[in-house]
Amino acid sequence: LRILHSLNGKGTLTIPGTRFHDIPAEVPGSVYHDLLRESLIPDPFYRDNEDEALRLMENTFCYSRSFFIDTALLSCPRVLLCCDGLDTLAEIRINGTSAGNADNMHRIWEYDIKTLLQEGENRIEICFSSPTRYIRDAYSASRADGSSDAMTGFPLLRKAHCMFGWDWGPRLPDAGIWRDIIIIGVETARIQDVLVLQDWADGQVTLHIQTHLERCSTEDSEVIVFVESPDGDRYTG
């Protein structure tokens, strides 16, 4: 059983050391998206505006917002912050305390934040470090080359490599919360993983479904598995 609380929607973006402070932001979204929507930077796809947009990525980018937590969510045995997409080098803070870090755009990140929350108003801040400074420093420590059309050191960061330039694309290594971000309250248990194996014989298939169940209380938990065919027939096992 789960209680979900979405942190999508409105927030603010600040780029420390620049003129950009408390800029209205949208989640999911990105730095370039928010600045373009507010007409604060020129179109990076026009003439050589790409160069100005690329220099912007030398900074740190901080997203923040307030949110409210009720008693029902706070009383769950486990309360997790689930980030479906963070791009890319991020530190997550809840009410001023670090909840964890991220360094890979291509995966989901989860953080146990139950002890960091309080009933009522809370605050989250996610700060993204410069991807361009990171690949420059990483390349000086351990050389790894790739496409000559892309920025030096781009293979050393788990971020969409096409953002660093290609023969067909500009160098615009954006940053931000690019997928959903939610708080999950687990009351009893949750399914963490599902493995489906198949046996084929005489034109028929037998499915073997294994589930990895995380128990968060002493209450009994039951997993019900069903398969639905394209024509809507449901088979339960």
Side-chain angles (χ1 to χ4, degrees):
L1 299 176
R2 300 190 301 173
I3 299 176
L4 305 181
H5 182 90
S6 174
L7 294 183
N8 289 351
K10 303 297 183 181
T12 60
L13 167 65
T14 293
I15 308 177
T18 73
R19 61 189 176 92
F20 303 117
H21 290 271
D22 297 326
I23 306 301
E26 294 180 352
V27 174
S30 74
V31 171
Y32 288 150
H33 172 79
D34 291 325
L35 295 180
L36 281 168
R37 188 189 61 255
E38 297 296 318
S39 301
L40 294 173
I41 59 172
D43 182 355
F45 294 101
Y46 182 71
R47 292 190 174 178
D48 61 354
N49 290 343
E50 171 193 347
D51 296 336
E52 179 182 343
L54 178 58
R55 285 192 295 271
L56 186 64
M57 285 297 128
E58 290 284 303
N59 295 288
T60 298
F61 312 94
C62 294
Y63 284 87
S64 61
R65 63 162 289 175
S66 296
F67 61 97
F68 289 84
I69 294 296
D70 59 22
T71 304
L73 181 57
L74 200 58
S75 63
C76 292
R78 292 204 72 191
V79 182
L80 303 170
L81 178 68
C82 181
C83 305
D84 285 349
L86 298 175
D87 182 14
T88 295
L89 301 162
E91 181 186 15
I92 299 89
R93 301 180 70 85
I94 302 290
N95 296 324
T97 300
S98 179
N101 296 274
D103 61 3
N104 188 336
M105 176 185 181
H106 305 296
R107 55 160 288 185
I108 293 172
W109 294 90
E110 285 187 354
Y111 308 93
D112 191 333
I113 61 171
K114 180 177 172 67
T115 61
L116 305 181
L117 296 172
Q118 59 192 17
E119 186 174 351
E121 186 174 5
N122 293 263
R123 187 164 185 82
I124 183 172
E125 182 179 44
I126 302 180
C127 288
F128 296 89
S129 299
S130 165
T132 52
R133 284 190 283 113
Y134 178 90
I135 62 170
R136 189 164 57 243
D137 293 343
Y139 187 83
S140 65
S142 178
R143 179 169 176 169
D145 291 310
S147 169
S148 60
D149 294 300
M151 298 180 69
T152 300
F154 78 91
L156 295 165
L157 183 59
R158 293 295 295 140
K159 176 177 173 67
H161 288 166
C162 61
M163 289 184 175
F164 293 103
W166 222 259
D167 56 352
W168 48 264
R171 298 180 175 188
L172 295 172
D174 207 351
I177 307 167
W178 69 287
R179 282 182 170 170
D180 293 339
I181 178 170
I182 59 174
I183 295 175
I184 302 173
V186 186
E187 296 177 303
T188 305
R190 65 171 180 151
I191 297 174
Q192 284 194 310
D193 195 17
V194 177
L195 174 64
V196 181
L197 302 175
Q198 302 180 23
D199 284 336
W200 289 84
D202 300 324
Q204 294 186 336
V205 60
T206 301
L207 299 180
H208 303 275
I209 301 174
Q210 302 174 16
T211 59
H212 178 198
L213 190 66
E214 179 189 13
R215 301 181 186 276
C216 299
S217 75
T218 57
E219 297 181 35
D220 292 335
S221 303
E222 180 183 11
V223 177
I224 299 175
V225 177
F226 66 86
V227 177
E228 187 170 309
S229 69
D231 56 10
D233 293 334
R234 180 174 293 190
Y235 305 90
T236 302

